[in-house]
Amino acid sequence: MTSRLPPLNPLRAFEATARRGSVSAAARELSVTHGAISHQIRALEVALDVTLFERGAKRLKLTSEGALLLPAVTQAFGEIAAATAQMKRPATSGELSITCVPALFSFWIVPRLNSFTDQFPGVRLKLKASNDPAHLHSSDVDVCILYGDGNWPDAWTRLWSNLELFPVASPTLLNSRPLRSIRDLEDHVLLHGDDDGREWNTWLSAANAIDLPRRQQHFMGDARFSTEAAVHGQGIALGDTITASNLIARGELVVPFDLSVTANDSFYVACRPAMRTTPIVRVFIEWMFATLEADQLAKPQTSARTLIRSRRA
């Protein structure tokens, strides 16, 4: 099998040139001469009997054969880099780089982070708020916690939690402008998270109010911002069973309607397959699931919505 593989150095030259867009940039990255890169690419083309770049333009452009080869080469180098990092990294110490959905990062992970650092004091966390699945293929990121459909090619994924969505509002806002019926939503600003309105559409549909006039709406770009806006009395947001739970428990948000719907997407833990078996990654993923399970076991029998309903009765 190895005899059918192209030589490593020409593959490195090809990958760097394709990624950087020029031979000169690739030469600087690999600390070799312009001529050396050109020679390596030509050697690879001869070995494969194909042309990999369309030459003559200011910026090199991949041929169809080059475009076919590049993803496989990029993934292979990524796997080698990950395995090398795994060998050099102590079992449960060192830096762990994580990207996380902003709302989950702010409202769920940060309040519970001390329990992880107490268990693993040798782990230095590097956290970034992001819901961009492109980080799954970045060698600078070890684990991603994403909100989506879980369909991310060439990545290990595991469902972390499904979500139930329901309207949430500041008690101060509802004291000044009550929500006695779903139709009263017409007099409030509807706050959208990181979608185009489909989640509110789903909830209103379930409430038989899809035709409700929406006089004012704000699209906040992320559920963290729509939730924070709701806390500050700026309108009515859709909260969920994970990120809004602490705010509801503290009384910063209330749930005016006893109706929830299943969210279109879910939270997933994901990473590159090679990183999944890394001890430092494994312990973080196990902590995520164990902490979620403990939270669910600790939930009171009476929900916030039942309490709100009983206070109004």
Side-chain angles (χ1 to χ4, degrees):
M1 180 177 177
T2 52
S3 63
R4 297 197 298 269
L5 295 175
L8 178 60
N9 283 340
L11 285 174
R12 288 185 66 202
F14 163 71
E15 189 275 337
T17 302
R19 174 166 42 80
R20 300 298 296 269
S22 78
V23 172
S24 298
R28 287 193 296 271
E29 178 179 315
L30 299 179
S31 300
V32 296
T33 65
H34 183 286
I37 294 292
S38 297
H39 175 76
Q40 295 285 4
I41 292 173
R42 182 58 188 151
L44 183 60
E45 290 177 325
V46 169
L48 298 176
D49 194 23
V50 296
T51 300
L52 297 172
F53 292 100
E54 294 179 6
R55 294 172 174 83
K58 290 183 178 179
R59 182 177 176 88
L60 289 179
K61 182 180 178 182
L62 288 168
T63 62
S64 57
E65 292 83 1
L68 179 65
L69 179 63
L70 181 60
V73 173
T74 300
Q75 181 178 351
F77 282 138
E79 297 293 328
I80 292 170
T84 302
Q86 181 177 340
M87 288 188 296
K88 293 180 178 179
R89 178 179 289 167
T92 52
S93 63
E95 184 174 278
L96 180 65
S97 177
I98 302 162
T99 66
C100 180
V101 181
L104 184 64
F105 182 31
S106 293
F107 298 129
W108 194 90
I109 286 187
V110 168
R112 295 162 177 79
L113 201 55
N114 63 320
S115 72
F116 180 81
T117 53
D118 288 346
Q119 291 180 57
F120 305 101
V123 177
R124 182 175 66 259
L125 295 176
K126 183 179 179 182
L127 297 163
K128 179 177 181 179
S130 174
N131 193 39
D132 185 354
H135 288 300
L136 285 169
H137 306 293
S138 170
S139 60
D140 296 329
V141 175
D142 299 320
V143 183
C144 297
I145 304 158
L146 299 167
Y147 182 65
D149 60 10
N151 183 25
W152 300 295
D154 303 321
W156 175 89
T157 62
R158 181 179 171 187
L159 174 66
W160 184 70
S161 179
N162 293 312
L163 297 176
E164 294 292 314
L165 300 176
F166 41 83
V168 291
S170 159
T172 303
L173 175 64
L174 296 191
N175 285 338
S176 62
R177 199 183 304 171
L179 281 175
R180 296 185 178 90
S181 73
I182 289 173
R183 288 291 161 181
D184 289 335
L185 283 170
E186 182 180 344
D187 300 322
H188 286 268
V189 178
L190 295 189
L191 303 170
H192 299 274
D194 57 354
D195 70 323
D196 57 1
R198 62 179 180 147
E199 291 188 332
W200 263 113
N201 287 341
T202 300
W203 189 88
L204 289 169
S205 224
N208 295 317
I210 192 63
D211 60 341
L212 180 81
R214 303 173 204 183
R215 301 186 189 283
Q216 286 186 292
Q217 301 183 77
H218 294 324
F219 293 82
M220 312 297 287
D222 188 85
R224 175 180 62 179
F225 304 128
S226 59
T227 302
E228 288 177 345
V231 169
H232 291 289
Q234 304 298 324
I236 314 297
L238 280 180
D240 65 69
T241 41
I242 300 294
T243 62
S245 58
N246 285 353
L247 296 169
I248 294 168
R250 294 199 301 263
E252 295 182 51
L253 290 174
V254 295
V255 186
F257 304 113
D258 194 11
L259 172 65
S260 62
V261 297
T262 302
N264 297 305
D265 292 318
S266 303
F267 285 131
Y268 289 85
V269 178
C271 64
R272 297 185 302 283
M275 295 303 299
R276 172 67 186 95
T277 55
T278 305
I280 197 170
V281 169
R282 188 176 66 248
V283 297
F284 179 79
I285 292 174
E286 290 172 353
W287 174 81
M288 284 285 299
F289 281 92
T291 305
L292 178 65
E293 183 178 359
D295 276 4
Q296 291 172 339
L297 292 173
K299 283 183 180 177
Q301 294 298 312
T302 307
S303 70
R305 275 166 285 180
T306 304
L307 288 171
I308 292 164
R309 190 167 59 249
S310 67
R311 287 200 295 271
R312 294 180 177 178

